[in-house]
């Protein structure tokens, strides 16, 4: 899994990069807001460890302007330990917050916990059917089920709304969003029948 570390202290970033690699994580290091922003515009990562005090800005602004819309789990890392900073970081949507000096083992444990939870959230299990929402793959009793792209999207919609009512009209609206084509009620019936047959 890929982790972006945004930290201007070279000693800290080098130590964390080493520790994360020892725990089988691929760590990408950026030392300021501008390079972190540029990287995130063109690359995907699984988690971000973000220092609040950076030479060309602060982590809170970077989180609000770029990271929050990408919905990447983020741990704020800072020397500040005031209650207001902790509350602000968590209210913005950060997964966690850790203050310097910190235990590398503790940080790794928090990283592991967040990524394990994220991984579980992407795989939905119903009886013998499992749906990996991240990879958009469906399995029945461990065997892949061949579905078209649109069938997968319809099924993902249903799996993402377990225990909720998903109306036919809502499915029709989503199909129109995905394809740009007007479809009728019978089309939904056909797709649902194909999905059930598989």
């Amino acid at each position: 899994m890929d982790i972006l570390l945004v930290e201007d202290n070279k000693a800290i970033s080098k130590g964390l990069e080493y520790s994360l690699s020892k725990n089988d994580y691929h760590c990408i290091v950026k030392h300021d807001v501008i390079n972190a922003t540029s990287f995130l515009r063109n690359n995907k990562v699984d988690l971000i460890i973000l220092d609040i005090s950076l030479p060309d800005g602060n982590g809170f602004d970077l989180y609000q302007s770029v990271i929050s819309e990408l919905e990447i789990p983020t741990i704020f890392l800072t020397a500040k330990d005031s209650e207001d900073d902790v509350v602000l970081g968590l209210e913005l949507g950060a997964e966690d917050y850790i203050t310097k000096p910190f235990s590398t083992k503790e940080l790794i444990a928090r990283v592991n916990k967040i990524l394990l939870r994220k991984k579980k959230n992407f795989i939905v299990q119903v009886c013998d059917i499992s749906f990996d929402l991240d990879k958009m793959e469906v399995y029945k009793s461990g065997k892949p089920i061949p579905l078209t792209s649109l069938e997968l999207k319809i099924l993902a919609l249903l799996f993402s709304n377990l225990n909720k009512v998903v109306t036919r009209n809502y499915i029709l609206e989503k199909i129109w969003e995905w394809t740009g084509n007007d479809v009728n009620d019978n089309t939904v019936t056909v797709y649902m029948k194909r999905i059930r047959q598989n």
Side-chain angles (χ1 to χ4, degrees):
M1 287 189 163
D2 296 326
I3 293 176
L4 172 63
L5 171 62
V6 187
E7 166 62 68
D8 63 323
N9 184 305
K10 302 290 175 67
I12 291 175
S13 61
K14 197 168 184 179
L16 279 179
E17 185 179 14
Y18 175 79
S19 297
L20 287 164
S21 67
K22 282 289 186 181
N23 284 268
D24 299 322
Y25 291 117
H26 175 229
C27 182
I28 304 100
V29 179
K30 300 297 175 185
H31 300 293
D32 50 37
V33 171
I34 190 168
N35 283 299
T37 300
S38 176
F39 177 83
L40 286 168
R41 293 296 186 201
N42 301 291
N43 299 275
K44 285 186 175 183
V45 293
D46 298 289
L47 182 138
I48 297 171
I49 300 172
L50 176 60
D51 188 17
I52 289 177
S53 299
L54 295 166
D56 58 345
N58 71 70
F60 288 141
D61 291 340
L62 175 59
Y63 184 87
Q64 284 182 291
S65 63
V66 180
I67 299 169
S68 60
E69 66 185 52
L70 298 174
E71 297 183 344
I72 302 170
T74 300
I75 298 174
F76 278 122
L77 183 65
T78 180
K80 296 178 182 178
D81 59 357
S82 76
E83 187 175 304
D84 288 345
D85 282 329
V86 173
V87 170
L88 176 58
L90 296 175
E91 282 184 346
L92 287 175
E95 288 283 337
D96 211 339
Y97 190 108
I98 195 165
T99 57
K100 303 173 186 174
F102 58 86
S103 158
T104 301
K105 284 185 178 180
E106 181 186 352
L107 179 59
I108 297 291
R110 294 187 187 203
V111 167
N112 290 341
K113 185 178 178 181
I114 291 168
L115 291 177
L116 181 61
R117 185 171 71 244
K118 181 186 175 188
K119 186 176 180 182
K120 285 181 178 177
N121 287 344
F122 277 121
I123 299 175
V124 183
Q125 184 84 32
V126 178
C127 298
D128 61 343
I129 306 291
S130 62
F131 197 148
D132 188 324
L133 294 168
D134 188 26
K135 297 179 181 176
M136 288 296 280
E137 295 174 350
V138 187
Y139 299 88
K140 183 176 183 179
S141 301
K143 295 180 181 179
I145 301 174
L147 295 173
T148 66
S149 175
L150 190 54
E151 288 165 357
L152 280 169
K153 287 180 179 178
I154 293 171
L155 195 58
L157 181 67
L158 298 174
F159 268 68
S160 299
N161 290 277
L162 290 176
N163 302 315
K164 297 178 185 176
V165 175
V166 180
T167 65
R168 295 174 78 84
N169 281 340
Y170 184 64
I171 296 173
L172 286 168
E173 287 173 12
K174 297 305 287 186
I175 291 174
W176 184 84
E177 281 181 26
W178 297 327
T179 66
N181 298 324
D182 284 323
V183 291
N184 57 39
D185 192 64
N186 186 54
T187 306
V188 175
T189 303
V190 171
Y191 278 118
M192 295 303 291
K193 186 178 179 182
R194 285 182 192 166
I195 292 169
R196 289 191 185 102
Q197 285 174 343
N198 281 295

